[in-house]
Amino acid sequence: MSKSLFVNGISCTLLACLNLTSAAASNSTVVTQASSYTTALATNQAPSVTNAAVKLLYQGSFGPTPETLLSAQQVTRQQWIATQMQLAPSWHYPLTTQYCDGSITPTTNIVDGSDSANTSKVENKKSPNPRACLKAQESVWLEHALTAQDQLRQRVAFALSQILVVSSQEPPLAKYGDGLAWYYDLLVKHSFGNYRDLLQDVTLSPAMGVYLSMQGNRKANLNNNTFPDENYAREVMQLFSIGLYQLDISGQAILDKQGNKLPSYQQADVENLARVFTGWDLVENKRYGNRRTGRYDTFMELSPKQHDYNEKELFGESIKAGMKADKELSASLDLLFNHPNVGPFISRQLIQRLVSSNPSPEYIKRIASIFNDNGEGVRGDLGAVVQAILLDDDAQGSITSPALKLKEPLLNYIGFLRAFSATPKSAHYQLRQLNGTFGQGAMRSDSVFNFYQPDFTPNYSANESLNYLVDSGSNDSASTVPASIVPIDQQMITVAPEAQIMVDPLLIKQLSLMFKQTMSNKTSFNLDFTEPLALADNSVDMLEYLDQLLLAGKMTAAFKTQLQSHLSNIKDQKRQLKEAIYLIVSSADYAVQP
């Protein structure tokens, strides 16, 4: 039996619901310009409402499901965003501690303080299992990506995790999966909050303190010829706030008379800021600077003897001697936050992660202006920024316009799983060897510079797989029809950050995983093919369903003809469906975000 959905109180399958939704939309002020499904089939085009909904769901979630696609069609883009922003956050830390195989039950200290009454430690009979906790953190992230209702918040948190990078690759963070989950919840908490508050919380978080060696940082000791560690001071400027060079509001570098870029900070700023970041350590640490005995689920605390209270100067502004350490830190972060670079620098990266690898200067300017002032005199309002990014004309552009963004490899696969309501075969959601298969995983970056550079420009002529993303050449009959080979428009994609990890060995692994998941099911998840399987006796309807769900209705006529010809030679309907799905998700069309 085909799974039933509901539109306007009427039970229907996805194809029928699309028709009902389009018909209702023609008389609605909420959704406009919707053509009927029947007309769409006749003209070989998907309904425009479906296109708009799928586009939004790829930008603001981890990918559409049949249910979210239908619900998104029945409201405006703005209404969908507003509803998402009102949903309660899906936290990572509590579930991670629960999944740590029962051997560790640390203080349940959710970052928003909502459970402040439950902050006493629980006695454990067994010692913690660090490996289990790291796997638990990864499992919870995957579970939320696939199933959480607050998809927009989770997607923005993942974008922020690639700007304010922390990684298990830095010892000993791999032993503190619960601490990594607590850090990630800071990003979840502030996804629609204020960037200044986020910057403060990230600065004092244990995971960041350990990752960029601010934790345990000591004031200068001239007798021993030692000076404060500059790591976090440098990266908080270069990567988390202002960037290397002075920018105008459209994100373009400001040049001197000789045409050289102007640096946004000097070495003296790094040294003075490093002095600000002294004296902070893990709570309940047995020895100052130790990384293995303190708590990773609460903000760092000050050890006054280790802090430099002398006068400092940052960007030409004086920080007076004797100021309290927390006030000094706050004043320094205020100077960073109010730097004119922050709006365009952060806005561009958020646009890249959600909508377009190559946002126009005009697009960046519009979003940076909202960052600078949300319309109510507030600077750094991320909720307003995210809404502006998704509601901008450039985000809602024609579905037939040239490709603007390659899907991140991990999100490519998660979108595939979400489209068919994947459920885990084991007790928890798991994908083995994320970095080894996708080149990325939540908080698994090899360096503070993320999985890829925001300005990475691929060498298309040297890497043919970036021009023609095709299947890996399996000997199975599913590979006998070539994937939809559509060259990526090199004029449109000036930079393609995701392409930096789209190297041939990883592409082959990803396509192999998709093949196994679709054709043999010898993987970690079960997929629900009930709805498309009910259409398998009519390849036209089945392909139309898959086209709308997976490709936002942008499958080319040539590709569709190829698929129909291939599928006509397959008698078994389930086999026919599986081959159609595999050939679509291994195509170049699917590798590009609508």
Side-chain angles (χ1 to χ4, degrees):
M1 291 293 293
S2 177
K3 180 169 60 178
S4 293
L5 304 170
F6 291 87
V7 173
N8 300 329
I10 301 174
S11 176
C12 52
T13 62
L14 178 60
L15 281 177
C17 284
L18 288 171
N19 195 15
L20 284 171
T21 305
S22 296
S26 63
N27 295 317
S28 170
T29 58
V30 174
V31 184
T32 59
Q33 298 178 349
S35 59
S36 71
Y37 173 68
T38 305
T39 303
L41 271 180
T43 58
N44 198 29
Q45 294 176 350
S48 59
V49 165
T50 306
N51 290 342
V54 177
K55 193 178 184 73
L56 173 60
L57 291 172
Y58 271 118
Q59 294 168 347
S61 77
F62 286 96
T65 68
E67 292 79 7
T68 61
L69 178 54
L70 287 169
S71 63
Q73 288 181 63
Q74 298 175 69
V75 295
T76 64
R77 202 173 177 96
Q78 190 165 10
Q79 288 172 327
W80 184 87
I81 294 168
T83 299
Q84 281 286 309
M85 287 185 172
Q86 292 168 5
L87 294 175
S90 298
W91 301 114
H92 292 239
Y93 174 78
L95 202 55
T96 298
T97 61
Q98 179 183 328
Y99 288 175
C100 281
D101 80 350
S103 67
I104 179 170
T105 313
T107 303
T108 303
N109 186 22
I110 298 176
V111 296
D112 71 343
S114 62
D115 65 338
S116 56
N118 183 25
T119 57
S120 60
K121 285 191 173 180
V122 178
E123 293 296 327
N124 301 299
K125 294 183 179 180
K126 295 191 294 181
S127 60
N129 184 333
R131 184 176 180 183
C133 282
L134 189 63
K135 289 176 65 177
Q137 177 269 317
E138 185 174 280
S139 175
V140 171
W141 183 88
L142 186 58
E143 181 174 348
H144 285 344
L146 286 169
T147 68
Q149 295 298 306
D150 58 326
Q151 281 284 299
L152 179 58
R153 182 184 293 273
Q154 298 298 322
R155 179 66 187 272
V156 173
F158 186 55
L160 290 170
S161 75
Q162 298 189 54
I163 299 172
L164 302 146
V165 174
V166 159
S167 175
S168 63
Q169 303 300 310
E170 174 68 22
L173 290 179
K175 297 181 179 294
Y176 294 93
D178 54 327
L180 289 172
W182 194 85
Y183 175 83
Y184 200 87
D185 275 348
L186 293 177
L187 310 180
V188 172
K189 173 187 176 182
H190 292 292
S191 288
F192 308 139
N194 194 282
Y195 196 75
R196 172 62 181 81
D197 297 333
L198 173 60
L199 202 58
Q200 173 98 13
D201 282 1
V202 162
T203 298
L204 293 179
S205 64
M208 180 61 78
V210 168
Y211 186 60
L212 291 182
S213 54
M214 175 192 162
Q215 176 262 342
N217 199 11
R218 291 177 167 84
K219 63 183 178 182
N221 185 325
L222 298 182
N223 291 330
N224 295 335
N225 198 34
T226 61
F227 300 90
D229 189 293
E230 299 175 0
N231 198 10
Y232 184 69
R234 180 172 284 102
E235 304 307 353
V236 74
M237 290 193 287
Q238 179 180 344
L239 301 176
F240 304 165
S241 59
I242 65 178
L244 286 171
Y245 303 106
Q246 294 182 36
L247 305 173
D248 63 22
I249 195 170
S250 66
Q252 306 301 298
I254 297 174
L255 307 179
D256 63 17
K257 293 181 179 180
Q258 288 72 43
N260 301 312
K261 296 179 181 179
L262 297 172
S264 57
Y265 59 87
Q266 304 295 330
Q267 175 59 24
D269 296 315
V270 176
E271 294 172 0
N272 278 274
L273 192 56
R275 294 167 57 206
V276 172
F277 297 141
T278 53
W280 298 94
D281 196 17
L282 303 177
V283 171
E284 299 179 9
N285 211 352
K286 293 182 178 179
R287 174 174 56 82
Y288 183 81
N290 193 341
R291 294 182 165 193
R292 299 178 184 274
T293 57
R295 288 177 56 180
Y296 279 74
D297 66 343
T298 191
F299 294 110
M300 294 188 292
E301 63 183 358
L302 182 72
S303 295
K305 291 183 179 180
Q306 302 294 340
H307 183 70
D308 182 340
Y309 288 96
N310 295 317
E311 182 180 8
K312 306 169 185 71
E313 186 175 290
L314 189 62
F315 301 127
E317 298 286 337
S318 175
I319 298 175
K320 296 180 180 180
M323 186 182 294
K324 289 184 177 180
D326 59 341
K327 299 294 183 184
E328 186 179 84
L329 183 142
S330 182
S332 300
L333 294 181
D334 282 343
L335 287 173
L336 289 180
F337 174 67
N338 288 301
H339 192 287
N341 269 23
V342 181
F345 185 72
I346 298 301
S347 295
R348 176 179 182 253
Q349 292 185 75
L350 287 175
I351 295 170
Q352 283 188 308
R353 298 280 55 79
L354 300 176
V355 175
S356 171
S357 295
N358 293 271
S360 66
E362 294 76 20
Y363 191 3
I364 296 172
K365 180 179 180 179
R366 291 191 294 269
I367 306 307
S369 297
I370 296 296
F371 185 100
N372 292 344
D373 185 343
N374 68 353
E376 298 179 359
V378 176
R379 178 180 175 82
D381 181 351
L382 289 177
V385 167
V386 169
Q387 179 173 266
I389 288 173
L390 297 178
L391 293 178
D392 194 89
D393 287 345
D394 280 16
Q396 301 183 65
S398 169
I399 199 74
T400 59
S401 62
L404 293 177
K405 175 178 169 57
L406 293 171
K407 292 179 188 173
E408 297 177 50
L410 180 58
L411 300 194
N412 184 305
Y413 189 68
I414 289 176
F416 163 53
L417 295 179
R418 278 178 58 81
F420 298 103
S421 306
T423 54
K425 294 180 180 179
S426 61
H428 303 308
Y429 289 75
Q430 295 178 352
L431 276 175
R432 296 180 180 178
Q433 300 179 337
L434 287 184
N435 274 26
T437 301
F438 300 100
Q440 62 177 154
M443 293 186 291
R444 300 294 188 269
S445 173
D446 287 336
S447 79
V448 71
F449 296 101
N450 194 26
F451 312 110
Y452 33 67
Q453 298 294 303
D455 294 315
F456 177 75
T457 302
N459 183 348
Y460 294 95
S461 60
N463 193 336
E464 188 173 324
S465 65
L466 296 176
N467 287 293
Y468 303 101
L469 300 173
V470 297
D471 66 82
S472 58
S474 166
N475 291 327
D476 192 274
S477 62
S479 66
T480 58
V481 173
S484 178
I485 301 176
V486 180
I488 296 171
D489 191 328
Q490 298 178 24
Q491 299 302 316
M492 288 298 298
I493 298 186
T494 305
V495 301
E498 304 81 4
Q500 192 168 2
I501 55 174
M502 295 179 71
V503 294
D504 291 342
L506 293 186
L507 286 174
I508 292 172
K509 289 183 179 180
Q510 293 157 28
L511 290 166
S512 176
L513 181 60
M514 284 184 166
F515 180 84
K516 291 177 182 178
Q517 181 67 72
T518 309
M519 303 302 298
S520 66
N521 201 25
K522 294 180 180 179
T523 50
S524 302
F525 296 92
N526 290 314
L527 303 182
D528 184 358
F529 293 142
T530 306
E531 181 77 12
L533 191 57
L535 303 169
D537 60 345
N538 186 324
S539 62
V540 174
D541 283 355
M542 184 184 70
L543 288 179
E544 185 64 27
Y545 172 96
L546 297 176
D547 183 15
Q548 292 173 17
L549 182 63
L550 298 172
L551 299 177
K554 64 182 179 66
M555 185 186 295
T556 63
F559 187 23
K560 189 170 294 186
T561 299
Q562 278 186 306
L563 284 174
Q564 287 174 343
S565 174
H566 175 67
L567 298 178
S568 66
N569 297 318
I570 303 173
K571 302 303 180 184
D572 182 83
Q573 291 184 345
K574 193 168 186 178
R575 176 75 180 192
Q576 184 185 74
L577 171 66
K578 288 182 175 182
E579 293 206 14
I581 292 172
Y582 172 69
L583 289 169
I584 291 172
V585 298
S586 63
S587 70
D589 289 353
Y590 185 72
V592 175
Q593 179 172 296

